[in-house]
Amino acid sequence: QVQLVESGGGSVQAGGSLRLSCTASGYTYTYLSMGWFRQAPGKEREGVARIDSAGATTYSDSVKGRFLIFEDNAKKTLNLEMNSLKPDDTAMYYCAADRNRWSCPLTGRNLDYWGQGTQVTVSS
């Protein structure tokens, strides 16, 4: 059973930066594709970024050029570097994993594992 634990959320002013981390345990990490998703109150869940086991990445248009998803395979950690943060980035951020190493769609559909989430609040 894969367990995902997010960390690194917090409060920041607009224009600031945060780095989120997601530590995975219980599985051969390199055989997963993974992603970051977010959900703001009253809004639908949104895919933010994803990465497959070969390191190929995809970003939503809303964060492209500002966010960077990358992995530390030795530490079994998925990271999301968030720069130039905006109030619209305020949400609960979730890490998710897909046993299909080439998948993890930004729709978030049919993903196998989810973390509990970490809150990001951006003030204007």
Side-chain angles (χ1 to χ4, degrees), residues 41-107:
K43 295 187 177 180
E44 293 188 355
R45 184 181 62 201
E46 175 189 15
V48 175
R50 46 81 65 188
I51 185 167
D52 68 22
S53 62
T57 59
T58 308
Y59 296 89
S60 68
D61 288 343
S62 61
V63 307
K64 198 173 296 182
R66 300 188 297 122
F67 290 12
L68 176 69
I69 187 171
F70 62 99
E71 297 176 308
D72 182 335
N73 288 330
K75 296 182 179 180
K76 297 185 179 181
T77 300
L78 177 72
N79 301 288
L80 185 69
E81 184 75 27
M82 305 186 295
N83 300 309
S84 302
L85 283 161
K86 305 174 182 179
D88 283 349
D89 295 318
T90 295
M92 184 72 78
Y93 282 71
Y94 299 91
C95 170
D98 191 338
R99 286 180 293 184
N100 181 334
R101 62 192 295 186
W102 310 115
S103 189
C104 196
L106 287 181
T107 60

Side-chain angles (χ1 to χ4, degrees), residues 1 3 9 17 19 23 32 36 40 45 55 59-60 78 89 109 111:
Q1 180 72 17
Q3 292 185 324
S17 299
R19 177 180 292 187
T23 301
L32 299 172
W36 288 97
R45 184 181 62 201
Y59 296 89
S60 68
L78 177 72
D89 295 318
R109 293 182 64 183
L111 299 186

